[in-house]
Amino acid sequence: MLKKFVDPLPIMESIRPTGHIQNVPFYEVTMQETFQKLHRDLPPTKVWGYNGLYPGPTFHVQRHQPVHVLWKNKLPEWHFLPIDTTVHGAEKSQPEVRTVVHLHGGVTPDTSDGYPEAWFTRDFQKVGPHFTNRLYTYPNHQPATNLWYHDHAMGLTRLNIYAGLAGMYIIHDREEARLNLPCGPFDIPLIIQDRSFHEDGRLFYPDEPVPPLMTPRPSVIPDFYGDTILVNGKVWPHVNVEPRRYRFRILNGSNARFYRFSLSNGEPFIQIGTDQGLLETPICVPSLVLAPAERADVIVDFSTCYGVSVILQNDYETQGKKPDPETTGSVMQFRVVHPLTSRDKSSIPAHLAPVPKLTHHQHARTLRLNMRKDSYGRNIHLLDDRLWSDPISETPKLGQTEIWNLINDTEAVHPIHLHLVRFQILDRQPFDRDVFEKEGRIVPTGPRVPPALNERGWKDTVRARPGEITRIIIPFGPYPGLFVWHCHILEHEDYEMMRPYIVTR
Ligand code: C2O
Ligand code: CU
Ligand code: CU
């Protein structure tokens, strides 16, 4: 077993523009294969990284300042992780290594959004059926928040992100800067991911179907859980901190693992932001649940902990088991050993940002999250019982607000993500599954429960729990076009739990 807390926490470098195109900053990012030390006692591991870095470099952009990014693929011709060619879009006839970059949570026109079929291969030698343009533009007209960019290639996303293709993208604005939150070295992004390794340091990703199934092989699996936790690309790192307030921008960048974070000294997190930016007021939470792709912006106050080591723990039950505190129950360690270098002048204002409640809508939809068996006997998760290749069924009108009732008729919590938009969670309500399965009628069995206090901000990913109706309210815009919505458990997303949708004029 790998020793915990031996490596220092890496901080991703900030990327700088390589130039300007008519005053708009222009960035060039190259996806490359590289070998990286992920733990003191592991030989260098083959990873795929943006600019050869895993995680990729961090973007820091200002609100209302658009940027151009040229995403380039210099990856090898063959994948080093097991591709299931029975998965739609990953057939033998397709090039094996395909990439396309999506800015998760970005309010982006569809031509720059990274549609799964807008993929391209090394040097753009081949491109997918929906490829439109090489140069992407991010308008950045949205409020300050923590986004992330990651690969989104059809049928391959789980493997490309697992290989290392993910990074942070932070939007800053003047309103937030005025709040005097912890900044500079006291403002740290944390990308949390689980991985497994072969003895020789290679990344391990299973290639067998779940027993008793025998075929196909390689096979997509229901969900991936690794046995080690990495933060910013290091296994179980530690960081030396001062006895003061820190801001941590936490991203769950795992394929399928959920986390419930807490601090071993019992201190709470003061959550200031969700997926899409600041909450109205800071919310004090003793523990914090994050599904894949969800983000939490938190303040942790170490001022009374001088000399103490604090472990960031996880106790979210996975596959019916509480995580072992010795392994996946630990995430990283904060050592409050640095003396104060300066007085902590940061503050946590009682009011952070206005979050006007959405109340009016023009249209409502009821959409099932359900399951089927494929011809091999494997589970396929579906959105409203439809395959990716079925005709487009969700066509909200530009400028209209809709309520989506997500009816989860499966056994899993699905983190549902929509591209382009931000939304609010209205409530969750249990329904009678027997009646639903026999008669297709939705009969609630309890009251509508409003979201937790720290979910009452703008979101782009929502946890839809089994046996519940999760209601979200979504203003569609500001761009028309072709986008996707999907479950962010990457194994589900790759295996049919993703659908195109169109914002129509
Ligand atoms: Cu985080 Cu469709 O993506
Ligand atoms: Cu997205
Ligand atoms: Cu799912």
mmCIF file of all heavy atoms in Angstrom, residues 186 242-244 339-345:
data_model
loop_
_atom_site.group_PDB
_atom_site.id
_atom_site.type_symbol
_atom_site.label_atom_id
_atom_site.label_comp_id
_atom_site.label_asym_id
_atom_site.label_seq_id
_atom_site.Cartn_x
_atom_site.Cartn_y
_atom_site.Cartn_z
ATOM 1 N N PHE A 186 -3.183 31.744 -0.345
ATOM 2 C CA PHE A 186 -4.191 31.211 0.581
ATOM 3 C C PHE A 186 -5.484 30.843 -0.137
ATOM 4 O O PHE A 186 -6.521 30.646 0.484
ATOM 5 C CB PHE A 186 -4.438 32.221 1.710
ATOM 6 C CG PHE A 186 -3.154 32.774 2.260
ATOM 7 C CD1 PHE A 186 -2.830 34.118 2.122
ATOM 8 C CD2 PHE A 186 -2.231 31.927 2.866
ATOM 9 C CE1 PHE A 186 -1.623 34.603 2.582
ATOM 10 C CE2 PHE A 186 -1.016 32.409 3.331
ATOM 11 C CZ PHE A 186 -0.702 33.759 3.193
ATOM 12 N N GLU A 242 -0.546 27.914 7.116
ATOM 13 C CA GLU A 242 -0.414 28.836 8.237
ATOM 14 C C GLU A 242 -1.711 28.825 9.055
ATOM 15 O O GLU A 242 -2.763 28.493 8.531
ATOM 16 C CB GLU A 242 -0.164 30.261 7.711
ATOM 17 C CG GLU A 242 1.101 30.394 6.898
ATOM 18 C CD GLU A 242 1.329 31.827 6.405
ATOM 19 O OE1 GLU A 242 0.721 32.766 6.960
ATOM 20 O OE2 GLU A 242 2.120 31.983 5.462
ATOM 21 N N PRO A 243 -1.635 29.242 10.309
ATOM 22 C CA PRO A 243 -2.861 29.311 11.114
ATOM 23 C C PRO A 243 -3.706 30.519 10.712
ATOM 24 O O PRO A 243 -3.656 31.558 11.359
ATOM 25 C CB PRO A 243 -2.347 29.445 12.556
ATOM 26 C CG PRO A 243 -0.975 29.989 12.430
ATOM 27 C CD PRO A 243 -0.429 29.565 11.103
ATOM 28 N N ARG A 244 -4.432 30.385 9.613
ATOM 29 C CA ARG A 244 -5.250 31.473 9.093
ATOM 30 C C ARG A 244 -6.346 30.892 8.220
ATOM 31 O O ARG A 244 -6.444 29.687 8.073
ATOM 32 C CB ARG A 244 -4.375 32.426 8.282
ATOM 33 C CG ARG A 244 -3.782 31.748 7.040
ATOM 34 C CD ARG A 244 -2.697 32.564 6.385
ATOM 35 N NE ARG A 244 -3.146 33.881 6.008
ATOM 36 C CZ ARG A 244 -2.389 34.984 6.040
ATOM 37 N NH1 ARG A 244 -1.135 34.914 6.442
ATOM 38 N NH2 ARG A 244 -2.869 36.143 5.667
ATOM 39 N N PRO A 339 4.509 29.318 10.617
ATOM 40 C CA PRO A 339 4.055 30.476 11.389
ATOM 41 C C PRO A 339 3.414 31.494 10.451
ATOM 42 O O PRO A 339 3.652 31.463 9.242
ATOM 43 C CB PRO A 339 5.342 31.020 11.995
ATOM 44 C CG PRO A 339 6.458 30.420 11.213
ATOM 45 C CD PRO A 339 5.960 29.178 10.548
ATOM 46 N N LEU A 340 2.620 32.378 10.995
ATOM 47 C CA LEU A 340 1.972 33.415 10.183
ATOM 48 C C LEU A 340 3.024 34.282 9.498
ATOM 49 O O LEU A 340 3.920 34.799 10.152
ATOM 50 C CB LEU A 340 1.097 34.306 11.074
ATOM 51 C CG LEU A 340 -0.366 33.955 11.286
ATOM 52 C CD1 LEU A 340 -1.037 35.071 12.055
ATOM 53 C CD2 LEU A 340 -1.073 33.716 9.962
ATOM 54 N N THR A 341 2.909 34.436 8.183
ATOM 55 C CA THR A 341 3.835 35.320 7.476
ATOM 56 C C THR A 341 3.322 36.759 7.478
ATOM 57 O O THR A 341 4.072 37.690 7.243
ATOM 58 C CB THR A 341 4.006 34.865 6.009
ATOM 59 O OG1 THR A 341 2.704 34.672 5.451
ATOM 60 C CG2 THR A 341 4.789 33.569 5.933
ATOM 61 N N SER A 342 2.025 36.917 7.710
ATOM 62 C CA SER A 342 1.430 38.249 7.779
ATOM 63 C C SER A 342 0.098 38.077 8.494
ATOM 64 O O SER A 342 -0.419 36.965 8.568
ATOM 65 C CB SER A 342 1.193 38.805 6.377
ATOM 66 O OG SER A 342 0.305 37.943 5.671
ATOM 67 N N ARG A 343 -0.450 39.168 8.977
ATOM 68 C CA ARG A 343 -1.735 39.065 9.649
ATOM 69 C C ARG A 343 -2.806 38.664 8.639
ATOM 70 O O ARG A 343 -2.739 39.076 7.478
ATOM 71 C CB ARG A 343 -2.086 40.399 10.301
ATOM 72 C CG ARG A 343 -2.944 40.252 11.558
ATOM 73 C CD ARG A 343 -2.878 41.529 12.391
ATOM 74 N NE ARG A 343 -3.418 42.667 11.639
ATOM 75 C CZ ARG A 343 -4.716 42.935 11.504
ATOM 76 N NH1 ARG A 343 -5.622 42.146 12.072
ATOM 77 N NH2 ARG A 343 -5.125 43.974 10.818
ATOM 78 N N ASP A 344 -3.752 37.862 9.065
ATOM 79 C CA ASP A 344 -4.841 37.451 8.162
ATOM 80 C C ASP A 344 -5.868 38.574 8.089
ATOM 81 O O ASP A 344 -6.628 38.788 9.029
ATOM 82 C CB ASP A 344 -5.487 36.161 8.688
ATOM 83 C CG ASP A 344 -6.535 35.621 7.712
ATOM 84 O OD1 ASP A 344 -6.786 36.273 6.670
ATOM 85 O OD2 ASP A 344 -7.086 34.531 7.975
ATOM 86 N N LYS A 345 -5.857 39.304 6.971
ATOM 87 C CA LYS A 345 -6.782 40.431 6.848
ATOM 88 C C LYS A 345 -8.008 40.066 6.011
ATOM 89 O O LYS A 345 -8.819 40.928 5.664
ATOM 90 C CB LYS A 345 -6.071 41.632 6.206
ATOM 91 C CG LYS A 345 -4.937 42.185 7.068
ATOM 92 C CD LYS A 345 -4.643 43.636 6.674
ATOM 93 C CE LYS A 345 -3.275 44.089 7.172
ATOM 94 N NZ LYS A 345 -2.157 43.585 6.323
#
